[in-house]
């Protein structure tokens, strides 16, 4: 009985820590950083012409904006479908709604290099999915997404034939090294590829050897302080691996296709936003205009990978800066920063605001469910 009470207390403490990490108060730092970056970039841009920006927004094609909203909703519906499918429909549509929006919120308030993985496991677990299965589904999602990033990025680089990286993009000094966009991309995609290979190996082929590798790495004096965490991660990998065995080929096909759909929709939304300013006629495009649409889509894949190594919450500041570097040639100096703000409103700030309203409803929902269980 004492062991059970101790276990319950540990679970309650862990739940409190996770709920604290979902605090609506955490939206202020990423908002300040992101908006501060936009204001700074606008203020220091000598080519900035606010009159032209205002005129561009006045003449915006509203139908492309509506299309951007529709693509956003379709993308979120795709996320909900995928998490339902991965859990073999253990989550209903209502649970999937809360899981996806809270997962997006958690990702928005944590650094991109960290992501909202731990919080996502907690959220799914609270929706009556066993811990081992919750962990497996979140790890599988990470592997699927990263595989898409790596494979899609090299595919578009091959198809674009040298047009992916802007010629006039500025270099950045990172940890004492001056790197251009292509070099930053190569570092980031290399790290993602290594992480994905290790995760795939651990999940699908050798979870026990993965644990032994982590233990061996952290046996070094310099890394010994992380040994306990590494062993725990190894144990979690073994649990997750067991949960993913026995699925049919159809399960994996649907998981892969839904991942491609989700990310394609995310990237196509930016095409819609930029088209609203370029006044593109979807039904009367020349070959050059079609290629421009492809470049906008392709560059966003590359930009997303570059953003993934950002140490700021939700890539705040980093995303706005790189947006200007990748898309200035399509929109012109000055306007590109205003469009960057609009893009972040759609893809980032909206989830911060929605999360503030969804979190209390979700907590109330979970609390009522627990009370119902206790009274039975």
């Amino acid at each position: 009985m004492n062991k059970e009470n101790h276990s319950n207390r540990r679970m309650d403490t862990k739940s409190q820590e996770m709920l604290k990490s979902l605090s609506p108060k955490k939206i202020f730092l990423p908002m300040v950083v992101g908006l501060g970056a936009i204001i700074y970039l606008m203020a220091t841009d000598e080519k900035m012409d606010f009159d032209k920006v205002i005129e561009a927004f006045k003449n915006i094609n509203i139908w492309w904006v509506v299309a951007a909203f529709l693509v956003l909703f379709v993308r979120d519906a795709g996320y909900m479908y995928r998490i339902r499918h991965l859990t073999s429909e253990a989550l209903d549509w209502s649970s999937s709604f809360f899981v996806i929006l809270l997962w997006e919120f958690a990702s928005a308030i944590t650094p991109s290099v960290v992501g909202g993985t731990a919080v996502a496991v907690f959220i799914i677990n609270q929706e009556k999915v066993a811990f081992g299965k919750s962990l497996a589904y979140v790890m599988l999602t990470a592997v699927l997404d990263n595989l898409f990033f790596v494979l899609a990025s090299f595919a578009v680089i091959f198809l674009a034939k040298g047009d992916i990286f802007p010629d006039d993009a500025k270099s950045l000094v990172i940890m004492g090294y001056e790197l251009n966009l292509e070099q930053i991309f190569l570092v980031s995609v290399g790290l993602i590829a290594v992480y994905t290979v290790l995760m795939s190996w651990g999940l699908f082929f050798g979870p026990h050897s993965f644990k032994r590798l982590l233990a061996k790495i952290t046996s070094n004096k310099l890394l010994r302080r992380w040994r306990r965490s590494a062993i725990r991660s190894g144990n979690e990998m073994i649990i997750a691996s067991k949960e993913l065995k026995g699925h049919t080929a159809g399960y994996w096909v649907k998981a892969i296709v839904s991942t491609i759909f989700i990310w394609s929709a995310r990237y196509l939304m930016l095409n819609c936003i930029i088209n609203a300013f370029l006044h593109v006629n979807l039904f009367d495009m020349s070959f050059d205009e079609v290629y421009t649409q492809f470049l906008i889509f392709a560059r966003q894949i590359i930009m997303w990978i570059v953003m993934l190594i950002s140490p700021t919450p939700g890539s705040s500041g980093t995303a706005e800066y790189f947006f200007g570097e990748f898309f200035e040639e399509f929109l012109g100096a000055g306007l590109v920063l205003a469009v960057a703000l609009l893009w972040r409103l759609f893809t980032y700030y909206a989830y911060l605001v929605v999360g503030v309203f969804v979190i209390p409803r979700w907590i109330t929902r979970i609390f009522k469910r627990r009370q119902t269980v206790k009274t039975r």
Side-chain angles (χ1 to χ4, degrees), residues 207-259:
H208 292 280
S209 56
F210 177 83
K211 178 183 175 181
R212 287 195 295 271
L213 175 66
L214 291 181
K216 187 172 183 179
I217 291 172
T218 52
S219 62
N220 183 287
K221 285 184 179 181
L222 294 174
L223 302 176
R224 196 167 290 165
R225 58 185 295 188
W226 291 288
R227 185 175 177 79
R228 184 177 296 179
S229 177
I231 297 297
R232 184 171 64 249
S233 296
N235 290 332
E236 290 176 348
M237 184 66 76
I238 293 170
I239 294 170
S241 180
K242 287 179 181 178
E243 296 293 346
L244 291 177
K245 290 180 178 178
H247 290 295
T248 64
Y251 175 90
W252 296 109
V253 169
K254 288 180 180 178
I256 292 168
V257 171
S258 60
T259 299

Side-chain angles (χ1 to χ4, degrees), residues 6-233:
H6 178 67
S7 178
N8 288 336
R9 282 198 298 272
R10 280 187 62 191
M11 285 299 293
D12 288 341
T13 302
K14 193 70 175 176
S15 296
Q16 289 172 8
E17 289 176 0
M18 288 297 173
L19 289 174
K20 192 178 292 185
S21 71
L22 284 170
S23 171
K25 294 178 182 178
K26 293 199 171 184
I27 72 171
F28 295 110
L29 176 60
M31 279 191 164
V32 168
V33 173
L35 294 175
I38 281 287
I39 293 170
Y40 172 79
L41 290 170
M42 286 183 171
T44 56
D45 188 349
E46 296 177 354
K47 299 176 183 177
M48 190 72 192
D49 187 332
F50 286 100
D51 290 334
K52 285 186 178 179
V53 170
I54 293 170
E55 188 66 24
F57 272 83
K58 281 182 180 178
N59 296 324
I60 195 170
N61 186 321
I62 194 65
W63 293 111
W64 277 114
V65 177
V66 171
F69 271 111
L70 290 176
V71 172
L72 179 67
F73 287 124
V74 167
R75 189 210 69 167
D76 284 343
Y79 268 124
M80 292 172 202
Y81 168 82
R82 184 175 70 165
I83 196 63
R84 281 199 81 218
H85 170 69
L86 294 182
T87 61
S88 300
E89 299 189 1
L91 296 175
D92 58 23
W93 285 107
S94 177
S95 295
S96 299
F97 169 82
F98 282 104
V99 166
I100 293 305
L101 288 184
L102 292 176
W103 196 340
E104 287 283 345
F105 178 81
S107 298
I109 59 175
T110 52
S112 295
V113 291
V114 177
T117 301
V119 178
V121 174
F122 168 73
I123 294 165
I124 297 173
N125 182 226
Q126 293 302 306
E127 291 292 340
K128 299 187 292 185
V129 177
F131 171 77
K133 291 185 176 182
S134 300
L135 181 67
Y137 301 140
V138 172
M139 285 185 173
L140 177 57
T141 299
V143 168
L144 289 169
D145 288 344
N146 287 333
L147 273 174
F148 175 84
F149 296 149
V150 174
L151 297 177
S153 64
F154 286 109
V156 297
I157 286 173
F158 173 76
L159 293 171
K161 301 186 185 304
D163 292 329
I164 283 288
F165 298 98
D167 295 329
D168 56 348
K170 295 186 287 290
S171 297
L172 289 177
V173 177
I174 300 176
M175 299 179 67
Y177 295 95
E178 186 174 341
L179 303 174
N180 59 33
L181 280 182
E182 186 171 359
Q183 291 167 330
I184 295 171
F185 162 77
L186 289 173
V187 170
S188 186
V189 78
L191 292 173
I192 294 168
V194 170
Y195 171 81
T196 305
V197 168
L198 288 173
M199 285 284 286
S200 300
W201 170 39
L203 271 180
F204 304 117
F205 304 107
H208 292 280
S209 56
F210 177 83
K211 178 183 175 181
R212 287 195 295 271
L213 175 66
L214 291 181
K216 187 172 183 179
I217 291 172
T218 52
S219 62
N220 183 287
K221 285 184 179 181
L222 294 174
L223 302 176
R224 196 167 290 165
R225 58 185 295 188
W226 291 288
R227 185 175 177 79
R228 184 177 296 179
S229 177
I231 297 297
R232 184 171 64 249
S233 296

Side-chain angles (χ1 to χ4, degrees), residues 224-344:
R224 196 167 290 165
R225 58 185 295 188
W226 291 288
R227 185 175 177 79
R228 184 177 296 179
S229 177
I231 297 297
R232 184 171 64 249
S233 296
N235 290 332
E236 290 176 348
M237 184 66 76
I238 293 170
I239 294 170
S241 180
K242 287 179 181 178
E243 296 293 346
L244 291 177
K245 290 180 178 178
H247 290 295
T248 64
Y251 175 90
W252 296 109
V253 169
K254 288 180 180 178
I256 292 168
V257 171
S258 60
T259 299
I260 295 171
F261 174 84
I262 288 163
W263 286 102
S264 296
R266 181 186 281 269
Y267 300 145
L268 284 171
M269 194 193 66
L270 179 58
N271 284 71
C272 293
I273 293 175
I274 291 179
N275 288 345
F277 292 91
L278 298 182
H279 296 274
V280 171
N281 185 341
L282 182 62
F283 304 104
D284 185 26
M285 287 195 291
S286 65
F287 176 80
D288 287 343
E289 288 174 323
V290 171
Y291 184 67
T292 296
Q293 295 301 310
F294 165 73
L295 271 186
I296 292 170
F297 181 91
R299 283 191 179 183
Q300 197 175 172
I301 296 174
I302 305 302
M303 181 181 70
W304 198 269
I305 290 173
V306 171
M307 286 164 47
L308 284 176
I309 61 171
S310 172
T312 59
S315 297
S316 292
T318 308
E320 289 81 0
Y321 172 81
F322 283 120
F323 186 93
E325 293 296 296
F326 276 102
F327 299 106
E328 182 177 327
E329 73 175 79
F330 304 110
L331 295 161
L335 178 59
V336 71
L337 295 174
V339 176
L341 179 58
L342 181 62
W343 168 66
R344 290 292 272 176

